[in-house]
Amino acid sequence: MNHRPIAFAAAYALLRAASDHSDHWGQSDFDAQCKGATDTAPVEYKHEDGTTVTVGTDGGRRACLHHVLQVTTTQGLVLVAGTRVLGIRLHPAAVAGALAVSGLTHYAADRRVPQGLLQRLAKATGKERFYKLSDFGMNGAYCLDQSWHHSWETLAAAVASLKARAL
């Protein structure tokens, strides 16, 4: 029996749920605020104790890397545990490849330096006005960010399902 379709569906659902949770509930306020900081567009971050720090390029990279490692670790744990519960065995190399796809593309989008990747893509595809939308309860940049993550997680799920079999 071919287990790839089942493994793909399970991997996608597990990757998506883990990403959504860790991207919103698990992400620290510091990482959320500072992951796009650069020396030319620094972020002033005020800690809960009232101290303020200015975050530049190095701090922005570290905040984004911390966030992406947290997301990817959560995805890995949920993917492995979830597929085990479902009786699906994923090949370790396929899981590693899937997590690499998800993590690297998540970093590329979330670093969002001025004129970042998603903004450039939005402009190139005629979606720049939507990207800049922040009205009617909508935020276009956020919607395109989440769509980016969903799309790459679909590819990651396909990678994870390679050589899948039943336990």
Side-chain angles (χ1 to χ4, degrees):
M1 177 177 185
N2 183 0
H3 296 283
R4 278 193 74 197
I6 295 164
F8 169 78
Y12 178 76
L14 293 164
L15 288 169
R16 179 81 297 270
S19 180
D20 200 41
H21 173 80
S22 58
D23 214 14
H24 299 97
W25 289 100
Q27 182 172 202
S28 74
D29 185 59
F30 180 85
D31 291 349
Q33 299 298 320
C34 299
K35 63 188 175 187
T38 64
D39 292 340
T40 56
V43 172
E44 294 290 322
Y45 182 80
K46 185 174 182 178
H47 292 279
E48 289 184 17
D49 66 4
T51 59
T52 302
V53 62
T54 301
V55 179
T57 300
D58 287 342
R61 287 179 183 145
R62 281 192 303 274
C64 193
L65 180 61
H66 181 264
H67 166 59
V68 169
L69 288 173
Q70 174 256 330
V71 169
T72 307
T73 299
T74 302
Q75 285 184 312
L77 292 170
V78 169
L79 181 60
V80 169
T83 53
R84 287 292 170 151
V85 167
L86 295 170
I88 300 167
R89 181 174 300 233
L90 300 178
H91 193 279
V95 170
L99 295 174
V101 167
S102 182
L104 292 170
T105 58
H106 201 107
Y107 185 92
D110 280 17
R111 191 59 188 109
R112 68 173 185 251
V113 295
Q115 286 293 308
L117 174 65
L118 291 183
Q119 189 172 2
R120 288 193 315 269
L121 283 173
K123 184 175 184 175
T125 59
K127 298 290 184 194
E128 188 172 29
R129 289 180 64 195
F130 180 68
Y131 180 89
K132 293 178 179 180
L133 177 68
S134 61
D135 204 353
F136 312 107
M138 293 251 336
N139 178 306
Y142 173 78
C143 289
L144 291 175
D145 171 85
Q146 289 302 295
S147 175
W148 170 270
H149 296 325
H150 287 245
S151 299
W152 286 105
E153 286 158 1
T154 302
L155 177 62
V159 170
S161 67
L162 295 173
K163 298 184 182 181
R165 54 194 161 103
L167 287 175

